[in-house]
Amino acid sequence: MASLLFWGLVALRILATTDNHIGVDPWWASPLFLLTVLAGGTWWSANRRAAGATLMILGVLSLVGILLLDRLDILVEYEAWLERGMPARPF
């Protein structure tokens, strides 16, 4: 649930403002997604394969999503945005 809430807030932030910088580093949410992958692996081993696979896929896709947000300059921490030369959002 927390993973879905995070992505809802990210989508709201992207749609609500045209700036691509934010005061908080999106990578700070990565422990949440690592725990999601770990929980999925635990559920997978407890013979709840569908729920475990869903959690693992959600966690891995979320980590990839954070990587893309950062590398494509869609949502970047303010200090990193300044260091990169204040790039504009690609869309």
Side-chain angles (χ1 to χ4, degrees):
M1 227 23 206
S3 299
L4 297 176
L5 176 65
F6 172 81
W7 285 112
L9 292 173
V10 167
L12 182 68
R13 169 73 167 104
I14 289 172
L15 294 174
T17 63
T18 58
D19 297 334
N20 63 334
H21 56 82
I22 190 168
V24 179
D25 189 6
W27 282 105
W28 286 4
S30 62
L32 169 69
F33 302 127
L34 291 173
L35 285 175
T36 304
V37 172
L38 181 63
T42 303
W43 282 37
W44 181 279
S45 66
N47 292 327
R48 297 181 182 211
R49 301 230 186 262
T54 302
L55 284 174
M56 290 176 70
I57 290 170
L58 178 65
V60 169
L61 288 178
S62 293
L63 288 170
V64 170
I66 289 177
L67 177 70
L68 291 176
L69 284 176
D70 185 51
R71 295 295 172 211
L72 298 177
D73 295 324
I74 297 171
L75 196 58
V76 182
E77 183 183 18
Y78 184 72
E79 287 79 17
W81 180 72
L82 289 175
E83 289 174 7
R84 293 178 190 178
M86 299 181 285
R89 187 185 290 177
F91 54 88

